[in-house]
Amino acid sequence: MDVTTLTLVGLIALALLFDYTNGFHDAANAIATVVATRVLKPRWAVLWAAGWNFAAFFLVGTAVANTVGSTVHTEFFGPAVVFAALLGAVVWNFTSWHLGLPTSSSHALVGGLVGAGLTAGGLSAIKGESVEKTALFVLVSPVAGLLLGSVVMTLLGALLRRADVPRTERRFRALQLVSSAAVSLGHGGNDAQKTMGVIAALLVSTGHLDAPIDGDLPIPDWVALSAYLAIAAGTMSGGWRLVRTMGSSITRLRPVSGFAAETSAAVALFGSTALGAPVSTTHTVAGAVTGVGAANRGATVDWGVFGRLAVAWVVTLPAAAAVAAVAYLLTTAPPTAVSAVVMTVVLAGLVALLVLALRSAPRASDVVPGDDEELEVPLRPGAGSVIDSRGVPASREVLERGGSLAEAEAAARREDRPRQPL
């Protein structure tokens, strides 16, 4: 096997490694709400999510793959650009995962492609239409999730105003299985396509696939199958470090509000995928959770957490682009044979870091909500998932003076009086 073929195989492996990191980085988007509301245990939650990630292989097209694959024009889409772009995306995924920031793997990949493409050929290397669509949805996806979450939660609050609380809880625990499956299906259908687009564009640029005639990249079945398997495997690894941020740090969720957040996010994801927009599942789900919390008149939203997430989202594109630009320069400076060796060493190093990170990462048992972590408050009729923190004087006092949600919960637990567990 010659150096060129080895390089191609190594790049495909790196692309699938990115897809795997996408899965474990974004697993929290699909499982955080069902874990937070105790509908599924963490291990069952990731199996449920991974299965629906893979099911997208049979149900979703390739419009997003074409958008991502055409970010850099074919004449510049060589091995060096692909290597640098993927390296930038994987490095940012590792960094944000380690910090517990649920950032966008999608935007990290697009940022990497833009950084490498600009370094390789300047502005003429970049297809503006694809980048503009991605950049637009940096704003659209969280806003769409927030608005949809607010609307759905408001409607459910009105419909369930006089509903029996225990019955509401039971019904929506079952419905959350459906809504979480929809989020996982939308996640797999949108995110796996990004890796498919990169691999297909690489195969076209190296002459292993015919160039598209009608503008659509040819996506071989083995490429699609590999991408869906990689993202499902990543989801099964858990991404436990990010589950608490998505499931409870922004706002507290119960079955109705969890169902509202997941349904809203799924609708936004399916709509974006149909438009061929490579959106961020993270942005969409976080926006939906925030919208649900804001519309839930008894709940509190930690806007500080949402603000930190928003900053991380804005930084993702330029950060990944900067790493990719440096990687491209380091890759193209040495001779081709040396570059191939460097690429192999970097790939092996990334795999080793991934193994070490997974060994030291939080386990499934670390994210199971404990009884001592629940904010105990009176349940209101029709509010099986509506947290009425105002029903607890101690927590209300903390919130009114500007304290955080965590401080309010601690105050509620310290208060020595009978309560009905939420």
Side-chain angles (χ1 to χ4, degrees):
M1 189 178 293
D2 58 22
V3 173
T4 301
T5 303
L6 281 173
T7 300
L8 180 61
V9 171
L11 287 172
I12 293 174
L14 181 57
L16 294 176
L17 175 62
F18 163 77
D19 206 21
Y20 179 87
T21 66
N22 189 336
F24 82 74
H25 189 277
D26 289 2
N29 300 328
I31 71 172
T33 53
V34 289
V35 171
T37 58
R38 300 172 182 266
V39 170
L40 287 176
K41 292 183 182 298
R43 288 297 181 191
W44 287 108
V46 293
L47 287 172
W48 181 253
W52 287 104
N53 276 171
F54 183 74
F57 171 75
F58 304 99
L59 301 172
V60 181
T62 59
V64 174
N66 281 283
T67 299
V68 173
S70 62
T71 300
V72 178
H73 291 299
T74 304
E75 57 267 30
F76 296 98
F77 207 97
V81 168
V82 174
F83 173 70
L86 290 171
L87 184 62
V90 171
V91 166
W92 179 249
N93 269 0
F94 272 126
T95 302
S96 56
W97 171 80
H98 181 72
L99 296 174
L101 293 173
T103 56
S104 170
S105 300
S106 308
H107 295 151
L109 178 58
V110 173
L113 288 169
V114 170
L118 286 174
T119 308
L123 289 174
S124 60
I126 306 299
K127 184 177 180 180
E129 181 182 347
S130 295
V131 178
E132 288 170 3
K133 182 182 290 186
T134 302
L136 175 63
F137 276 82
V138 170
L139 299 175
V140 170
S141 57
V143 172
L146 192 150
L147 292 176
L148 285 170
S150 298
V151 170
V152 173
M153 191 66 223
T154 300
L155 290 174
L156 287 175
L159 291 172
L160 301 172
R161 186 172 63 253
R162 301 182 184 279
D164 177 72
V165 173
R167 186 179 301 170
T168 299
E169 288 274 281
R170 289 193 299 271
R171 288 177 176 175
F172 277 87
R173 286 174 66 84
L175 287 173
Q176 259 204 285
L177 291 176
V178 179
S179 59
S180 66
V183 172
S184 299
L185 186 65
H187 172 224
N190 197 283
D191 283 38
Q193 285 193 59
K194 295 147 192 173
T195 300
M196 291 159 48
V198 170
I199 295 176
L202 175 64
L203 292 173
V204 168
S205 70
T206 55
H208 290 81
L209 280 180
D210 294 333
I213 299 175
D214 57 357
D216 290 338
L217 286 168
I219 309 289
D221 287 342
W222 69 266
V223 171
L225 184 61
S226 299
Y228 281 113
L229 284 172
I231 200 168
T235 297
M236 288 181 63
S237 70
W240 311 115
R241 192 181 298 274
L242 304 176
V243 169
R244 286 189 185 276
T245 301
M246 295 296 287
S248 60
S249 293
I250 298 175
T251 190
R252 286 291 185 179
L253 296 171
R254 295 290 291 170
V256 173
S257 52
F259 171 81
E262 290 166 344
T263 301
S264 304
V267 170
L269 286 172
F270 288 132
S272 302
T273 301
L275 294 173
V279 300
S280 166
T281 308
T282 305
H283 294 194
T284 307
V285 173
V289 170
T290 304
V292 164
N296 188 342
R297 60 191 178 91
T300 53
V301 175
D302 193 332
W303 292 102
V305 173
F306 186 78
R308 290 192 293 274
L309 295 181
V311 171
W313 299 340
V314 172
V315 170
T316 295
L317 276 167
V323 174
V326 172
Y328 179 82
L329 293 174
L330 293 177
T331 303
T332 54
T336 302
V338 176
S339 297
V341 173
V342 170
M343 183 167 53
T344 302
V345 171
V346 170
L347 183 59
L350 286 173
V351 172
L353 285 174
L354 177 61
V355 172
L356 291 174
L358 291 176
R359 284 184 176 180
S360 62
R363 304 299 178 188
S365 58
D366 297 328
V367 300
V368 176
D371 292 335
D372 61 338
E373 295 178 357
E374 293 192 32
L375 176 60
E376 296 176 324
V377 298
L379 288 176
R380 293 183 283 108
S385 283
V386 181
I387 298 170
D388 190 0
S389 58
R390 294 169 300 180
V392 181
S395 64
R396 180 180 60 194
E397 182 180 350
V398 171
L399 295 170
E400 286 178 350
R401 69 167 184 262
S404 67
L405 180 59
E407 291 171 336
E409 293 169 356
R413 289 195 298 269
R414 289 194 300 268
E415 195 173 34
D416 185 20
R417 65 181 180 81
R419 308 179 187 94
Q420 179 182 353
L422 182 63

